Amino acid sequence: MATQEVEARSCADSLPQLDHLLGADFRLHKNELEQLYVEVLYTIANKVGASTGQYAHYKEDLFSYAQKAFGIPNDVHRKFLAIASEEKPPIVVLNVVVLEAEGLEAKDANGFSDPYCMLGIQPGGLQPPSPQPGSGQSSRETPPGSPRHASAAATGRTLSDSGDPDQPHRDTSPHEKLRKHHSFRLSFKRKEHGYGRERRDTIHRDSLSAAVPAKFIRATSVKPQTLNPRWNEKFRFDIDDVASDILHLDIWDHDDESSVFDAVSKLNEVRGVKGLGRFFKQIAQSARSGNQDDFLGCVNIPLQDIPSTGLDRWYQLEARTQRSNIQGRIRLKLWLSTREDRGNSEEDNGSEIRQQQRLYAVFIGHELDRFSGPTWEWSGELPHVAQTILHQHAIQGDVTELQLAAVRWTAYCRQALSSPLDTRILLRLLQDLDARWPHETLSREEEESLAESFNMFLEFSLQMLRKHRQYFPPHNRAAMSRLDYLLRCLGLLANMKAFWKCCPFNKEIRGEIITALKKGTLEWYEEIHTYHKPSSRNQDVVIHSLIHLITLLIVDLQKGLDFYNSLFESTNGVPYFSAIFKQLEKMLAEDVGKELEIFEVQGDIGPQVAALCVQFQSPSPPDDASLPAGCEIGTAIFELYLALQEFVSFRDHLSPVDQKSLSINCYYEWFEPALDRWLDVSKFKAMHRIHKAAELNKVCTGDFIVKHSTSAVDATACFYQIKEFWRQLAWPDLVGSYNYIMKIIDCICGAAVYYADLTHQKLQDTGYYEDNAPFKISDEMCVTVNDLEYVRRWLAPLGTELQAEVVLEAVEAGSGGSQQWRTALYNMLDGAITQLEARALQVINRVAAKMRPALKKATFHLAWSPDSLPASEAISPLLEYLDAHLVALNAALLPRNFERLLSDVWQVSLLELGQQMDGSAGDKMPMFYERLYEALEILVDFFHAEQKGLPLEQLKSSTYWSVEQRLQYHKTDTEGLINLYYQQRLQDQLATESTEYGVLSVRAYFNHDSLCVEVLNARDVIPLDPNGFSDPFVIIELLPRKVFAHCTEQQTNVQKKTLNPLFDECFEFSVTLEQCRHEGAMILFTVMDHDVLTSNDFAGEAFLALGNIPGVADNNTSIDNFHGLKQVDLNLMHQKNKNHPILQILETRTVDKMAQDFVKKQKPRIST
């Protein structure tokens, strides 16, 4: 809607009226228009140059187009044509630029030449005389004298254009002026002698046609030692008859300066037309002795072949005689122009330039009048007949290419101010002007005129850019194209040397564009702000008005980012978006701040909401609980926040420096009071909604869904709305948002726990926990645990979805890394999740408890089946019972709930199996434990269900390993269990680090079928006598007893009243190396306290593996005594596991004397 409104307010067809910029010079009065028309007719009547290409038109066509363009009636046209015909024809001028030559013949001994050119006009079709073959002429022809240095030529050219400085300006007749400008002698370094006033008067008296055409002779400078000379020197010749005159040019190798004087002297004697031929003959025959100039070639160019567009080409050099060895070519640039024979300077063509400019204006206006479409769709191309007229006018006025480029730019630029043109036309004209600027120059007056056009165009462009939204709407492709090329024009203008040469004091164009954009944006903002001003001071009306205003700004910014920014940036380096955004942001911050100050939210309702929530959680919640009046917060203020948030999000496209300086950065602070109140209200409403959802609860049924109720869906939907609200807020202040996140988590978690309590209480009220009947699947139980799990599953990722980690990192960074904020947040969240899980587990555990009697019965049947019945058949009743109930539960429960239930049933099954296993062993059948062990493996496979049930890691829990281990122990004989017990004690010895019972130091080695054991001392033996001491002695015993049956135990002497006894006694046992290397072979050291009247007390025991002692571990080493052996410190131990399974199992073997004796021996060693 906002986009449509913005587009509707844009008008691509309305463009600024800037006729006031055109000035008086652009508007032609009637007299000026008639004079210009006569000038056009005069130009057409006196066409010069051969007609070729696009400029080949009959004069009648040219007259006809000019008459239409000027709008002249036929009778007036005939009148003006007669006036133009009576005018004296202009003087035709040939312009020659001798550019370069290449591949010339080498005439000097050094392999080079010193070339220079002599050029002149051959009148009336005469050919330059060439010596005839057989005349005896030498092949080295003699030229006229040649100038030696370039400076001489420069002097000659300057004088030829401005007159003889030695001759005062007494005679200003055309013939005299031409003679003074083109004296042949001035082309040479040396001045002629004896050429005084009398000689000049003689030439003046002769007619121009009869006199020697000395004004037609020119010479270039000498280029020493080169075969590829570059001159780039310009000459001008007045032409009598274009149809018959010929340009003749010779190239000579300069040898001696004396020939220059001779040639000039001979030149003064030339008379008449025939005299010119005699002059060239004298050139060929002069200076036959001594040094002489060598001929390098010549060219002859008929002037009638020169087109009006001029020539720039290479000419092959020709020979004068057949014996001349000529090679190489020369490049000339030739064009024709005119000058009127009115005595004014031929360099002054200011009037022609002004006429050319006005003529362009007439023709452009005429073509635009003929064009049927919008002016900006015109291609800017004039018809060929118009171009021919302009071309003839330009060449006849000797207008340079740079002057023409400036004229075209000025004419089209002025036209664009009144009738908008395609800016591509202006760009092409600027590019043409820029390309020609380095090669030519303009007069001061021309530069001022060009500066005026630049400034007019600049002002016109800036006014267009100020209203670019109106003139160049993004949806209009043609308008955007015009903007693109307009900006390209400005970008080119900003870098043009011509612009800064003509307008040295102008401001930088880039800065002017930015200023125009800012002014235009300010005007546009004020316009739409006034248009959308609220009609009343009602809060909702004011806020919705601001929202609409901000939406319009967002649309404008998005358009600027998508369309305008790249154009301005790429063409002029103007940060369009940055300039626009900062301008809009500044004005918007002022307006929104003023409006929100009026409607600031006051008062803290947090305590009241908390009290209401407590009432909801009471046993009898109120039905009519409601918020205090005035606590409601409308959604409009948060819509305003979201609109501002979207507006501020555009700052991401600014530089970091610009982002920091924005006035609207802290926009969120305006909404903090409203957000506080909204969160308080949300907590009350969440509680109220959950209470209503529980009252209106219904079970959801379906073929492909598990059982659940509508209350869970309603509860999570409520939580989602709160969470989504926070997500959309995207609160910018991370540290400040911690309190808000805590409020949201408190709101959602409190409501979730309240929901769990309501749901569980509802199940409890059905008598679920009091029912002791055999287990039967109930819908109430399945719906309850599924609802709890559904809410718990939604609650689990809440911290991540609220981006709590980002907020906590910011808070911790500002508080020195303190963890209290993290702990408080996650304790609240984890506490709620734990309570939900506890409620669900409470329900699920009751299921396992109800199934236990049936499981116990089936396990009893399994355990006490006869040995003839295989375990796979004996366990069938148990598996059938489990399968029947678990399949139904799997279909009715969510996966996590079923997994919890399955885990509970598995634990109960293990406990029942363990109870059947433990008991007196006397009445058990021989295969009893083997059957139970096999049944345990079958149950593992059943509950794993080929990876569809519980994972193996969960199945093989500590309870499983306890049952499995005890089954293994039950299957093992008494001697094996005793050995296994001692091996476990040896592992305990290696793992223990505690010295609470003291330390025993010993040494042992094996040598020659003898085991030598040395008991050194003990430290920190525990006191066992009333006097605070002990009377310790050590018993040494080799284990296992079956391996070392022939070795009796030995003991040390008793050390009286000490806790650190020193024994230092050696003992020897006759054993083999194989016995010492037997698996589990070890030495048992038992420290006892000797008592006289009562039995000895146990002080501690230690174990030493025989496989690691010297002589056994490295039997290649021979050891004869204890010298050099390192003592071993063994920490004394007590058995701390009072319920050690091996001791318990051995104790059940009441008829086994070995088992009973071992248990009796070990009981004193158990720590009390």
Side-chain angles (χ1 to χ4, degrees):
M1 184 68 184
T3 304
Q4 295 173 356
E5 180 178 337
V6 171
E7 292 178 353
R9 296 176 63 82
S10 300
C11 180
D13 296 339
S14 58
L15 293 169
Q17 299 300 319
L18 302 178
D19 291 346
H20 65 281
L21 299 177
L22 298 177
D25 292 341
F26 187 70
R27 302 184 182 89
L28 297 180
H29 298 293
K30 180 179 179 181
N31 293 337
E32 294 175 328
L33 192 66
E34 292 175 350
Q35 293 176 5
L36 180 61
Y37 184 66
V38 172
E39 181 65 29
V40 170
L41 299 179
Y42 179 82
T43 300
I44 298 173
N46 296 280
K47 281 181 58 180
V48 296
S51 297
T52 58
Q54 62 178 340
Y55 302 124
H57 292 87
Y58 294 108
K59 290 185 179 181
E60 290 76 9
D61 296 335
L62 302 181
F63 286 137
S64 175
Y65 180 82
Q67 181 180 354
K68 294 176 182 178
F70 279 82
I72 303 298
N74 290 331
D75 55 341
V76 179
H77 168 72
R78 287 190 292 271
K79 172 184 174 183
F80 289 155
L81 182 60
I83 295 173
S85 302
E86 294 173 358
E87 289 281 340
K88 184 177 181 180
I91 298 174
V92 180
V93 178
L94 172 65
N95 300 271
V96 182
V97 179
V98 182
L99 296 172
E100 57 184 324
E102 64 179 16
L104 300 180
E105 183 181 1
K107 294 292 187 177
D108 297 338
N110 58 7
F112 295 100
S113 293
D114 302 325
Y116 66 95
C117 299
M118 294 286 293
L119 59 158
I121 299 299
Q122 174 73 42
L126 293 180
Q127 298 295 327
S130 299
Q132 297 299 321
S135 63
Q137 180 179 342
S138 171
S139 63
R140 289 183 60 83
E141 302 170 359
T142 305
S146 61
R148 180 179 297 274
H149 303 293
S151 59
T155 303
R157 288 195 303 276
T158 302
L159 293 173
S160 67
D161 289 342
S162 58
D164 186 356
D166 296 336
Q167 176 65 31
H169 298 274
R170 289 188 295 265
D171 193 343
T172 57
S173 66
H175 291 188
E176 181 62 17
K177 185 173 181 64
L178 290 177
R179 187 190 62 75
K180 289 188 291 184
H181 274 283
H182 303 283
S183 177
F184 178 76
R185 64 185 180 85
L186 298 181
S187 299
F188 299 96
K189 183 177 178 181
R190 291 188 179 181
K191 295 184 176 64
E192 57 189 277
H193 299 282
Y195 193 74
R197 175 65 179 270
E198 180 181 355
R199 182 61 175 167
R200 289 195 296 270
D201 292 342
T202 305
I203 295 177
H204 179 64
R205 286 193 301 268
D206 293 339
S207 67
L208 183 61
S209 59
V212 174
K215 64 181 190 307
F216 300 141
I217 306 299
R218 296 289 183 273
T220 68
S221 59
V222 177
K223 299 297 179 182
Q225 298 184 9
T226 179
L227 301 180
N228 301 290
R230 293 179 180 272
W231 289 286
N232 196 26
E233 298 178 15
K234 180 181 178 181
F235 304 95
R236 293 167 59 88
F237 300 95
D238 286 353
I239 305 302
D240 291 335
D241 187 359
V242 176
S244 60
D245 286 357
I246 297 173
L247 172 67
H248 178 81
L249 180 144
D250 288 344
I251 303 182
W252 298 86
D253 171 40
H254 173 72
D255 282 334
D256 191 278
E257 192 175 354
S258 60
S259 60
V260 175
F261 175 76
D262 295 339
V264 172
S265 300
K266 299 295 184 181
L267 176 62
N268 295 329
E269 301 175 0
V270 176
R271 285 289 185 274
V273 174
K274 295 182 179 179
L276 183 63
R278 193 161 52 250
F279 166 70
F280 283 110
K281 183 175 181 180
Q282 290 175 0
I283 290 176
Q285 297 177 352
S286 63
R288 291 203 174 264
S289 61
N291 293 331
Q292 51 189 335
D293 292 352
D294 293 329
F295 179 68
L296 295 177
C298 67
V299 292
N300 294 284
I301 304 171
L303 301 189
Q304 64 180 359
D305 294 341
I306 300 176
S308 60
T309 54
L311 293 173
D312 185 348
R313 53 168 290 188
W314 290 88
Y315 293 91
Q316 196 68 31
L317 293 177
E318 303 172 356
R320 286 186 179 277
T321 66
Q322 295 179 353
R323 284 181 286 178
S324 296
N325 185 17
I326 299 302
Q327 65 184 40
R329 59 178 186 164
I330 187 170
R331 180 185 170 197
L332 302 176
K333 185 176 182 181
L334 310 170
W335 72 94
L336 297 173
S337 62
T338 66
R339 62 181 180 86
E340 296 185 19
D341 190 8
R342 298 172 181 172
N344 55 338
S345 171
E346 58 187 79
E347 296 297 329
D348 180 16
N349 60 353
S351 60
E352 284 81 359
I353 293 175
R354 286 188 292 273
Q355 291 172 1
Q356 179 87 186
Q357 183 174 312
R358 293 174 177 178
L359 194 54
Y360 262 104
V362 172
F363 289 166
I364 293 172
H366 175 63
E367 292 302 320
L368 287 176
D369 291 340
R370 294 175 56 195
F371 190 70
S372 58
T375 56
W376 55 80
E377 293 183 3
W378 180 51
S379 66
E381 294 292 332
L382 296 175
H384 290 319
V385 62
Q387 294 182 32
T388 300
I389 297 173
L390 291 168
H391 172 66
Q392 279 294 324
H393 186 273
I395 63 172
Q396 292 183 30
D398 199 19
V399 180
T400 66
E401 293 295 332
L402 176 60
Q403 290 171 333
L404 275 178
V407 165
R408 282 192 295 267
W409 157 254
T410 302
Y412 277 91
C413 176
R414 288 177 180 273
Q415 184 63 51
L417 300 184
S418 58
S419 303
L421 300 179
D422 188 349
T423 42
R424 285 178 291 187
I425 302 172
L426 301 179
L427 179 62
R428 289 196 300 267
L429 296 174
L430 274 179
Q431 290 171 340
D432 182 49
L433 178 62
D434 188 48
R436 300 184 185 280
W437 184 265
H439 309 294
E440 301 178 40
T441 58
L442 297 178
S443 67
R444 182 176 179 180
E445 181 182 354
E446 293 164 353
E447 289 183 356
E448 291 175 352
S449 175
L450 190 59
E452 182 183 358
S453 68
F454 285 153
N455 288 324
M456 285 192 302
F457 175 72
L458 186 57
E459 183 176 351
F460 164 77
S461 301
L462 295 177
Q463 291 197 34
M464 295 282 286
L465 295 182
R466 282 178 66 172
K467 296 185 177 296
H468 65 279
R469 296 173 179 85
Q470 177 181 352
Y471 301 139
F472 309 109
H475 63 274
N476 190 321
R477 296 180 61 182
M480 288 300 293
S481 176
R482 294 200 303 275
L483 175 61
D484 180 17
Y485 285 98
L486 178 66
L487 291 172
R488 291 190 190 189
C489 288
L490 293 175
L492 177 59
L493 195 64
N495 296 302
M496 285 177 60
K497 294 180 180 179
F499 176 76
W500 293 111
K501 176 67 163 51
C502 299
C503 310
F505 303 109
N506 277 36
K507 296 180 181 179
E508 185 186 16
I509 292 180
R510 179 177 177 274
E512 295 276 12
I513 294 175
I514 294 175
T515 302
L517 290 175
K518 289 182 177 179
K519 290 181 179 179
T521 300
L522 177 60
E523 295 168 357
W524 177 78
Y525 179 85
E526 291 175 347
E527 178 184 352
I528 63 171
H529 186 248
T530 303
Y531 185 78
H532 294 285
K533 200 167 185 178
S535 57
S536 70
R537 300 307 296 168
N538 177 271
Q539 180 175 354
D540 284 344
V541 173
V542 171
I543 290 178
H544 279 99
S545 177
L546 286 174
I547 293 171
H548 195 66
L549 172 65
I550 295 171
T551 304
L552 292 176
L553 300 185
I554 291 172
V555 171
D556 184 69
L557 288 174
Q558 190 62 53
K559 287 183 177 181
L561 198 61
D562 295 341
F563 300 99
Y564 294 126
N565 188 66
S566 58
L567 287 181
F568 281 85
E569 186 74 41
S570 61
T571 55
N572 290 272
V574 171
Y576 173 90
F577 182 81
S578 176
I580 297 300
F581 180 82
K582 288 191 290 185
Q583 185 73 17
L584 292 175
E585 179 269 341
K586 179 180 178 182
M587 296 181 288
L588 182 63
E590 296 175 357
D591 289 340
V592 176
K594 292 176 183 177
E595 299 293 351
L596 289 183
E597 286 176 0
I598 304 174
F599 306 112
E600 185 175 358
V601 179
Q602 300 292 343
D604 183 10
I605 64 168
Q608 301 177 60
V609 171
L612 289 170
C613 292
V614 171
Q615 294 180 33
F616 270 117
Q617 294 171 327
S618 64
S620 56
D623 294 331
D624 57 348
S626 60
L627 285 169
C631 291
E632 295 289 345
I633 295 293
T635 59
I637 193 167
F638 293 108
E639 291 177 9
L640 176 61
Y641 171 88
L642 294 176
L644 278 173
Q645 179 192 72
E646 186 176 0
F647 177 85
V648 175
S649 67
F650 283 98
R651 69 183 175 186
D652 296 339
H653 301 283
L654 304 180
S655 66
V657 176
D658 288 339
Q659 290 184 23
K660 293 179 181 179
S661 61
L662 298 179
S663 305
I664 207 169
N665 277 335
C666 298
Y667 69 98
Y668 55 89
E669 294 178 353
W670 301 330
F671 300 88
E672 287 178 349
L675 180 58
D676 268 326
R677 177 164 293 187
W678 187 90
L679 291 177
D680 289 336
V681 172
S682 296
K683 185 173 183 179
F684 169 80
K685 289 196 171 184
M687 290 287 191
H688 187 269
R689 182 168 176 179
I690 286 174
H691 181 71
K692 287 296 182 182
E695 289 181 352
L696 303 174
N697 189 31
K698 292 182 180 180
V699 177
C700 301
T701 59
D703 295 335
F704 302 102
I705 58 174
V706 297
K707 296 179 179 180
H708 65 284
S709 70
T710 58
S711 62
V713 177
D714 291 341
T716 53
C718 174
F719 302 156
Y720 173 81
Q721 290 172 0
I722 298 174
K723 181 193 71 175
E724 184 64 16
F725 171 75
W726 177 252
R727 187 192 67 80
Q728 290 185 11
L729 285 185
W731 201 256
D733 181 15
L734 292 180
V735 176
S737 63
Y738 176 81
N739 292 331
Y740 300 126
I741 288 182
M742 287 294 288
K743 276 194 170 187
I744 291 173
I745 292 178
D746 176 59
C747 172
I748 294 178
C749 290
V753 171
Y754 178 52
Y755 174 78
D757 292 341
L758 287 176
T759 305
H760 183 262
Q761 185 63 42
K762 187 174 182 179
L763 177 66
Q764 188 175 356
D765 293 343
T766 63
Y768 175 77
Y769 292 102
E770 288 77 17
D771 183 12
N772 294 320
F775 173 73
K776 183 180 179 181
I777 298 177
S778 68
D779 289 344
E780 293 82 2
M781 182 275 297
C782 292
V783 169
T784 299
V785 294
N786 284 340
D787 286 348
L788 293 174
E789 171 58 20
Y790 187 73
V791 175
R792 185 212 64 83
R793 188 167 61 183
W794 191 96
L795 206 60
L798 182 60
T800 303
E801 292 172 348
L802 293 177
Q803 297 184 340
E805 277 299 321
V806 178
V807 174
L808 287 172
E809 289 174 3
V811 172
E812 291 168 358
S815 61
S818 175
Q819 296 291 311
Q820 60 177 336
W821 318 101
R822 180 182 299 273
T823 303
L825 187 147
Y826 281 110
N827 282 349
M828 184 186 299
L829 185 59
D830 294 340
I833 294 174
T834 302
Q835 291 188 56
L836 287 168
E837 288 182 333
R839 289 297 189 190
L841 286 174
Q842 188 177 355
V843 177
I844 291 172
N845 290 341
R846 183 61 182 162
V847 174
K850 287 186 176 184
M851 294 177 69
R852 188 160 188 169
L855 293 175
K856 183 176 183 178
K857 181 179 179 180
T859 307
F860 179 83
H861 177 271
L862 164 68
W864 297 100
S865 296
D867 289 346
S868 60
L869 186 66
S872 58
E873 296 183 14
I875 201 174
S876 294
L878 175 60
L879 297 182
E880 289 173 0
Y881 176 82
L882 290 172
D883 189 64
H885 289 87
L886 293 178
V887 168
L889 288 169
N890 185 32
L893 298 178
L894 288 170
R896 182 176 175 84
N897 284 333
F898 180 73
E899 185 180 338
R900 290 169 176 166
L901 177 63
L902 199 60
S903 179
D904 271 5
V905 174
W906 168 244
Q907 292 298 323
V908 171
S909 300
L910 287 176
L911 292 175
E912 289 300 323
L913 194 64
Q915 286 187 2
Q916 296 297 328
M917 173 180 59
D918 296 331
S920 178
D923 56 352
K924 292 183 172 66
M925 286 174 285
M927 298 301 295
F928 181 84
Y929 296 111
E930 284 77 2
R931 181 188 293 110
L932 291 182
Y933 190 85
E934 185 178 350
L936 179 63
E937 297 303 318
I938 293 174
L939 284 175
V940 169
D941 292 339
F942 176 81
F943 279 91
H944 185 53
E946 298 179 350
Q947 299 182 351
K948 296 178 182 178
L950 295 176
L952 290 176
E953 297 79 10
Q954 188 173 350
L955 286 169
K956 295 185 177 181
S957 61
S958 59
T959 305
Y960 166 83
W961 287 116
S962 176
V963 172
E964 195 269 348
Q965 187 184 57
R966 285 153 57 197
L967 279 173
Q968 290 284 4
Y969 291 162
H970 278 296
K971 292 166 55 179
T972 307
D973 60 15
T974 299
E975 186 177 357
L977 285 178
I978 292 172
N979 292 336
L980 187 59
Y981 178 80
Y982 280 131
Q983 289 177 14
Q984 292 180 4
R985 294 299 287 161
L986 179 60
Q987 295 301 318
D988 293 341
Q989 180 71 63
L990 298 175
T992 186
E993 296 180 355
S994 173
T995 59
E996 59 179 317
Y997 302 110
V999 179
L1000 178 66
S1001 299
V1002 300
R1003 288 192 294 189
Y1005 70 91
F1006 177 83
N1007 187 28
H1008 300 298
D1009 296 332
S1010 178
L1011 175 63
C1012 299
V1013 181
E1014 180 180 19
V1015 180
L1016 298 174
N1017 57 72
R1019 302 188 307 274
D1020 303 325
V1021 178
I1022 59 175
L1024 295 173
D1025 293 338
N1027 58 8
F1029 293 97
S1030 292
D1031 301 326
F1033 68 95
V1034 182
I1035 300 173
I1036 303 98
E1037 184 180 359
L1038 299 184
L1039 299 174
R1041 292 302 302 162
K1042 184 176 181 180
V1043 177
F1044 299 101
H1046 63 287
C1047 298
T1048 59
E1049 61 182 33
Q1050 304 184 48
Q1051 67 180 41
T1052 66
N1053 295 322
V1054 177
Q1055 304 295 320
K1056 297 292 184 176
K1057 295 182 180 181
T1058 180
L1059 299 180
N1060 298 289
L1062 179 62
F1063 300 105
D1064 202 14
E1065 299 180 38
C1066 295
F1067 304 91
E1068 185 174 351
F1069 297 89
S1070 178
V1071 296
T1072 63
L1073 182 61
E1074 289 72 17
Q1075 287 176 311
C1076 292
R1077 291 181 174 176
H1078 190 276
E1079 183 181 1
M1082 67 186 78
I1083 305 174
L1084 169 59
F1085 299 94
T1086 306
V1087 180
M1088 303 294 290
D1089 172 46
H1090 177 72
D1091 289 327
V1092 177
L1093 298 178
T1094 60
S1095 61
N1096 296 330
D1097 297 325
F1098 176 75
E1101 64 183 2
F1103 298 84
L1104 178 65
L1106 290 177
N1108 295 328
I1109 67 173
V1112 178
D1114 48 353
N1115 59 342
N1116 294 327
T1117 303
S1118 177
I1119 302 174
D1120 297 328
N1121 51 52
F1122 291 102
H1123 180 71
L1125 292 180
K1126 186 178 180 181
Q1127 71 179 24
V1128 179
D1129 294 333
L1130 301 173
N1131 296 334
L1132 296 176
M1133 304 182 299
H1134 285 204
Q1135 175 58 265
K1136 294 187 176 184
N1137 186 359
K1138 298 178 181 181
N1139 300 314
H1140 196 285
I1142 293 180
L1143 295 180
Q1144 289 180 336
I1145 291 172
L1146 289 175
E1147 190 174 8
T1148 62
R1149 298 178 182 181
T1150 55
V1151 296
D1152 189 340
K1153 185 177 183 301
M1154 180 186 294
Q1156 294 301 313
D1157 291 343
F1158 182 77
V1159 172
K1160 182 179 180 180
K1161 179 181 179 182
Q1162 294 300 321
K1163 279 187 176 181
R1165 302 179 182 226
I1166 298 175
S1167 176
T1168 59

